[in-house]
C-alpha cells in the first residue's frame, strides 16, 4: 500500500509547468551584455497553447468545485473568463507580428489562408476557435466583453 503524497509532491506536472514558465521568463530578461530579443510568432503560439491548456484545467476545476463550494466555483469561473480574454489578446498579438497582414477591419479576424506563409505553424487559429466554442457555451457575451482596463491601440 502506498502512502498519500506529501503536499510538496502533489501535482508535479503543474509545478514543472510553472518552473518552465519561470525559467523562460528569466531567459527573456535582457542582461547588460545582451539586448532584448523580439518575440516571434512561434513563441506566441506556444504561449497560446499553454493558455488554452490552463483554460481547460480551470474549466474542470470550476465544474468540480461548484457543487460543494458554489462561491469558490464562481471565482474559478471568473478566472476562466479572464484567462480567455488574455488568450484572445495573445492570439490577436500573434497576427499583428511582422509577416502577417496589417490589422484592419477586414484582416483582424482569423483567416489563416490570408497569411503569406500559409496557416500558422502550430495551428493557433484552430486551437483558438476550438477553445472559443467551449468558452461560449458556458459564458455570456457580456462576460466576454473586454473591461475598460484592456489595452487598446
Amino acid at each position: 500500500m502506498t502512502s498519500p503524497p506529501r503536499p510538496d509532491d502533489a501535482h508535479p506536472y503543474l509545478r514543472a509547468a510553472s518552473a518552465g514558465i519561470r525559467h523562460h521568463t528569466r531567459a527573456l530578461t535582457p542582461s547588460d551584455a545582451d539586448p532584448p530579443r523580439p518575440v516571434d510568432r512561434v513563441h506566441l503560439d506556444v504561449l497560446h497553447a499553454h493558455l488554452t491548456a490552463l483554460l481547460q484545467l480551470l474549466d474542470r476545476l470550476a465544474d468540480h468545485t461548484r457543487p460543494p463550494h458554489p462561491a469558490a466555483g464562481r471565482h474559478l469561473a471568473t478566472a476562466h473568463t479572464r484567462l480567455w480574454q488574455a488568450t484572445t489578446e495573445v492570439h490577436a498579438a500573434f497576427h499583428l507580428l511582422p509577416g502577417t497582414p496589417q490589422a484592419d477591419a477586414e484582416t483582424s479576424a482569423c483567416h489563416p489562408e490570408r497569411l503569406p506563409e500559409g496557416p500558422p505553424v502550430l495551428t493557433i487559429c484552430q486551437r483558438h476557435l476550438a477553445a472559443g466554442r467551449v468558452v461560449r457555451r458556458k459564458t455570456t457575451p457580456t462576460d466576454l466583453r473586454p473591461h475598460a482596463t484592456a489595452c487598446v491601440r
Side-chain angles (χ1 to χ4, degrees):
M1 186 167 165
T2 60
S3 62
R6 296 186 342 233
D8 59 342
D9 289 335
H11 312 292
Y13 295 111
L14 281 175
R15 274 198 327 278
S18 297
I21 290 172
R22 283 190 304 272
H23 172 76
H24 189 72
T25 301
R26 282 191 301 270
L28 286 174
T29 303
S31 67
D32 292 336
D34 298 325
R37 291 180 306 199
V39 175
D40 61 4
R41 295 178 73 194
V42 175
H43 185 135
L44 289 184
D45 192 14
V46 173
L47 178 61
H48 187 271
H50 185 78
L51 291 173
T52 55
L54 282 174
L55 278 169
Q56 291 174 345
L57 177 61
L58 267 176
D59 189 37
R60 299 247 169 80
L61 287 172
D63 287 347
H64 292 304
T65 303
R66 195 171 292 121
H69 307 287
R74 282 191 301 273
H75 280 285
L76 290 173
T78 299
H80 181 266
T81 301
R82 301 300 177 258
L83 184 60
W84 169 249
Q85 291 167 338
T87 304
T88 298
E89 296 301 328
V90 169
H91 179 249
F94 174 90
H95 287 291
L96 293 174
L97 285 177
T100 62
Q102 293 298 319
D104 58 21
E106 292 183 0
T107 61
S108 62
C110 185
H111 298 287
E113 70 278 2
R114 293 185 188 170
L115 299 176
E117 68 277 18
V121 176
L122 300 175
T123 64
I124 187 172
C125 295
Q126 293 157 346
R127 183 185 328 109
H128 194 72
L129 291 171
R133 280 191 296 277
V134 172
V135 168
R136 285 178 180 85
R137 272 188 270 159
K138 296 185 174 194
T139 313
T140 67
T142 302
D143 291 336
L144 294 177
R145 210 170 291 134
H147 293 279
T149 59
C151 178
V152 179
R153 293 186 192 248

